[in-house]
């Protein structure tokens, strides 16, 4: 028994000891404990509360300041000041509960980790190629923006030191050097964001300022490192040792470690495929190792992070990809933390007397004059005019977060006291805030010169000024000859639009020139693989030129700014959309020229217009593809892909294939239809894209074609539109857009694989039985559109009056065109008749028509011309097209008809959209609203509303003053 007792005794003792140990109470809201009470053993609770308040305050302020076109750093600095003793610190108990002194070391630790990472990102941003592109001018301006401010700062340091600084705390030499650095430094990251907001990144001034800012930033950090080294050194010999160690470490990082990182990037495949986990691990270790070394030698940890960023390879977009991985965490959490700590040390209430305010104004004025005069004079010497030089000087005066980092370093080193620190914080805030409005005043948009990727501006383009093209669009005027479009600008903005761009490019490619020595059965079979290999080469006059313009959105994210300043050639080589489109072009024997533009989304239309004028494009081609093609929705939250069966005449009640507009223009869809509404982000995306399209329609001076792809359902027997055989349908109401559509379809029919049916639609009594039906060819009456002037004024001019131009529900205005007169209306009708009879056979002359070149004559044999008269022309048109679409894949080529339209369809569209019968497409009509009609026009909207299974090519002629 004693043996058993001895065996169980250890377990009994262990249990007894565990029972005696009382678990430490964690505390919390449920136990009545204050959740803001600081616990050094568990600081995470208060830290989360602090970070939540900081982020919320910063974001609220940034929403308001964004409307004033101010960078986010202003909100971050103001947020710190608001939460500090200047404002919220005056609320009893706020600082004691939310930011107690004992919790600040934890905040400081987190903020300094983020600051090291931020300086690493700053180093990543700096690309020496930017300086090399404009080396001479940027170095002159950078030197001018450093030397004069440093000298003026040293002069101001004398009275400041004598008035506010305790000689026992900081030496005069250290203070003088520090003030000179604070005056001479420029905030390169903030400068990038200001240039983005002012749309100056691709302006000649913006490129030069950016290059000068890089050099200024590097010199400023070197001077600050030297200042900190001198302050931390106990003697001159120690300062020399610190300086030598700093130089040695810099050389070690910039030479052997840079080569090692390049080798590692290539060995791991990070350059071609993005940073691997091994490369990211090595990069993070490098950042903090470098920060540790610079800190222990007596400089500052942030310089180590900055040096690490300088050696990351930029090849293959590696630096940009690493920035994308880190920037959100740094900008959303770490930087606001740092600025809050800065704000907790800023007390504007200490600026409480005239002497203090006098010196504050002196600091502000001298700091601006130093940067403004130094940068402006240097810019004049570099060859800029006075206005441009003043703009450069103003932009260089922005301080932002870089000066705040410098000030915090000075405060922690004991060079500044709280009062002087607050004076300099106010100066940095005011100068950064003033940079945007002063730049807009000095350098308004109409004076700017947009620069290309290599720095040359568009004013010197070979062949004449932009937009000065000798060839004129035939569809907009009255011409007799056939004007073939040979230069196309294809817009590539999103991956989901690539399929539509390919379908459209398939239509644009020229026909293969047949070899007479090849057997007839091979020449006439477009699907025969021998036809391509045995065809002869195209002559220069038969070829077409296609330029693919890749649009990349520019935001205020650091990675986007880096991408915008990168060499365009590198971006083009890495861009997946351009690579896919180039491969497609090569497979179809088309020469594709790559172009790329990085711009803010609201400026996409301006960039397209600039490139169209520069290249002399005959037609700008846009694409729009539905993100939900081939999907049916079973409930409000789940989308299950499945084949959709549909009869040619009656769409199923559950809704046929969705179109690009169901995601946006559905009104009360959840309540009125069994089809679930699209997710909010998809509707928002479609809204944004429709606005871009409408801006382009309204502003471009070139003909525009918008291709809306509605591919057939899965399992459908209708051939895919990317196949060689395509049937086009053209509704011809009249007007410049319809004339453009007719001319373009004739050109597309030059290919033997393409056929077309052209309907001349006349609003009137119904076509008698047997007239105007499928297969019958008739010409339009000579005076089908010529009516008395009173009727013209009453029925046709009404849609163009300003009272009928309304804004959409999201405040985006519709395209506004000037009112038209009776004479203009009659001239346009005459042009319609001339254009129609140029191609359609004339019944009164035994089917004769004007003579054309042989290839055009052959194309006209594949086009069927019909006339349809109906009191409801849109419904009659869609019924005719629906009958054709039941047998073959159809692409409807329609005029947008927002300018000089021959008919007003407002009443019929109202009836069509309000229809509740399934033949009329009630479920489709729920997806059509004002936004669609403003984007596509009434005729194209009628196709969508009626559920017609056709892709659309919406054409708009350039508004060049013609009829």
């Amino acid at each position: 028994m004693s043996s058993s007792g001895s065996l169980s005794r250890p377990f009994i003792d262990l249990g007894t000891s565990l029972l005696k140990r009382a678990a430490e109470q964690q505390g919390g809201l449920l136990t009545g404990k204050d959740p803001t009470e600081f616990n050094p053993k568990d600081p995470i609770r208060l830290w989360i509360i602090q970070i939540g308040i900081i982020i919320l305050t910063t974001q609220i302020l940034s929403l308001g300041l964004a409307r004033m076109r101010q960078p986010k750093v202003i909100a971050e600095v103001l947020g710190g000041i608001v939460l500090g003793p200047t404002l919220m610190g005056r609320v009893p108990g706020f600082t004691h509960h939310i930011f107690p002194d004992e919790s600040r070391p934890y905040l400081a630790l987190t903020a300094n980790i983020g600051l090291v990472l931020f300086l690493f990102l700053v180093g990543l941003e700096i690309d020496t190629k930017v300086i090399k592109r404009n080396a001479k001018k940027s170095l002159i301006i950078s030197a001018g923006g450093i030397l004069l401010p440093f000298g003026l700062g040293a002069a101001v340091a004398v009275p400041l030191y004598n008035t506010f600084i305790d000689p026992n705390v900081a030496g005069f030499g250290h203070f003088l050097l520090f003030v000179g650095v604070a005056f001479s430094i420029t905030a390169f990251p903030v400068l990038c964001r200001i240039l983005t907001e002012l749309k100056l990144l691709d302006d000649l001034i913006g490129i030069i300022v950016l290059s000068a800012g890089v050099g200024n930033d590097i010199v400023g950090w070197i001077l600050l490192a030297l200042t900190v080294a001198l302050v931390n050194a106990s003697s001159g010999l120690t300062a020399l040792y610190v300086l030598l160690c700093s130089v040695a470490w810099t050389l070690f990082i910039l030479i052997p470690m840079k080569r090692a990182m390049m080798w590692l990037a290539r060995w791991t495949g990070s350059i071609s495929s993005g940073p691997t986990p091994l490369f990211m691990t090595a990069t993070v270790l490098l950042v903090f190792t470098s920060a540790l070394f610079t800190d222990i030698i007596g400089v500052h940890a942030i310089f180590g992070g900055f040096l690490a960023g300088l050696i990351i390879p930029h090849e293959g977009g590696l630096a940009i990809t690493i920035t994308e991985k880190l920037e959100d965490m740094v900008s959303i959490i770490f930087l606001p933390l740092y600025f809050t700590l800065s704000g907790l040390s800023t007390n504007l209430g200490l600026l409480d007397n005239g002497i203090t305010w006098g010196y504050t104004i002196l600091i502000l004025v001298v700091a601006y004059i130093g940067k403004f005069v130094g940068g402006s004079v240097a810019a004049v010497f570099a060859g800029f005019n006075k206005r441009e030089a003043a703009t450069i000087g103003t932009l260089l005066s922005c301080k932002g977060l870089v000066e705040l980092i410098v000030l915090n370093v000075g405060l922690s080193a004991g060079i500044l006291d709280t009062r002087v620190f607050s004076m300099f914080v106010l100066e940095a805030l005011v100068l950064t805030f003033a940079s945007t409005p002063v730049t807009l005043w000095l350098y308004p948009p109409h004076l700017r010169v947009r620069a290309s990727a290599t720095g040359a501006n568009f004013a010197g383009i070979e062949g004449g000024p932009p937009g000065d093209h000798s060839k004129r669009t035939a569809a907009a005027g009255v011409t007799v000859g056939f004007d073939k479009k040979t230069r196309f600008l294809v817009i590539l903005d999103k991956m989901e639009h690539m399929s539509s761009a390919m379908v459209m490019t398939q239509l644009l490619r020229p026909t293969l020139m047949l070899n007479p020595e090849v057997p007839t059965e091979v020449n006439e079979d477009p699907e025969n693989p021998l036809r391509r290999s045995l065809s002869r080469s195209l002559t220069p006059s038969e070829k077409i030129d296609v330029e693919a313009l890749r649009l990349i959105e520019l935001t205020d994210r650091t990675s986007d700014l880096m991408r915008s300043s990168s060499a365009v050639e590198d971006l083009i080589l890495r861009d997946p959309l351009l690579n896919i489109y180039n491969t497609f072009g090569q497979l179809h024997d088309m020469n594709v020229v790559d172009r790329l533009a990085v711009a803010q989304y609201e400026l996409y239309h301006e960039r397209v217009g600039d490139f169209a004028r520069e290249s002399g494009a005959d037609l700008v081609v846009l694409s729009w593809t539905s993100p939900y093609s081939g999907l049916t929705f079973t409930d409000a939250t789940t989308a299950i892909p499945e084949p959709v069966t549909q009869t040619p005449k009656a769409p199923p009640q559950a809704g046929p294939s969705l179109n690009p507009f169901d995601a946006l223009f559905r009104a009360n869809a959840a309540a009125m239809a069994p089809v679930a509404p699209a997710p909010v982000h998809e509707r928002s995306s479609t809204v944004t894209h429709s606005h871009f399209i409408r801006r382009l329609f309204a502003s471009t001076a070139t003909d525009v074609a918008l291709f809306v792809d509605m591919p057939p359902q899965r399992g459908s027997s209708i051939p895919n539109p990317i196949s060689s055989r395509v049937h086009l349908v053209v509704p011809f109401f009249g007007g410049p857009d319809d004339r453009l559509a007719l001319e373009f379809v004739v050109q597309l029919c030059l290919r033997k694989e393409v056929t077309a049916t052209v309907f001349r639609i006349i609003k009137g009594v119904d076509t008698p039985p047997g007239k105007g039906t499928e297969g019958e060819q008739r010409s339009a009456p000579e005076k089908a559109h010529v009516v008395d002037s009173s009727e013209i004024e009453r029925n046709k001019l009404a849609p163009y009056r300003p009272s009928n131009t309304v804004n959409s529900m999201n405040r985006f205005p519709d395209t506004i065109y000037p009112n038209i007169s009776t004479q203009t209306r009659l001239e346009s009708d005459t042009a319609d008749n001339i254009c129609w009879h140029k191609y359609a056979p004339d019944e009164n002359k035994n089917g004769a028509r004007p003579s054309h070149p042989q290839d055009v004559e052959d194309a006209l044999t594949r086009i069927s011309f019909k006339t349809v008269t109906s009191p409801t022309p849109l419904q009659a048109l869609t019924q005719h097209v629906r009958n054709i679409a039941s047998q073959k894949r159809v692409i409807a080529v329609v005029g947008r008809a927002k300018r000089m339209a021959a008919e007003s369809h407002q009443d019929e569209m109202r009836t069509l959209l309000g229809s509740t019968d399934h033949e009329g497409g009630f479920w489709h009509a729920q997806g059509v609203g004002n936004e669609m009609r403003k984007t596509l026009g009434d005729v194209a909207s009628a196709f969508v509303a009626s559920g017609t299974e056709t892709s659309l090519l919406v054409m708009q002629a350039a508004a060049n003053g013609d009829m």
Side-chain angles (χ1 to χ4, degrees), residues 783-799:
K783 298 183 179 180
H785 289 283
V786 180
V787 293
D788 65 277
S789 59
S790 61
E791 186 176 351
I792 291 175
E793 292 293 335
R794 184 173 60 255
N795 296 331
K796 295 183 177 180
L797 297 186

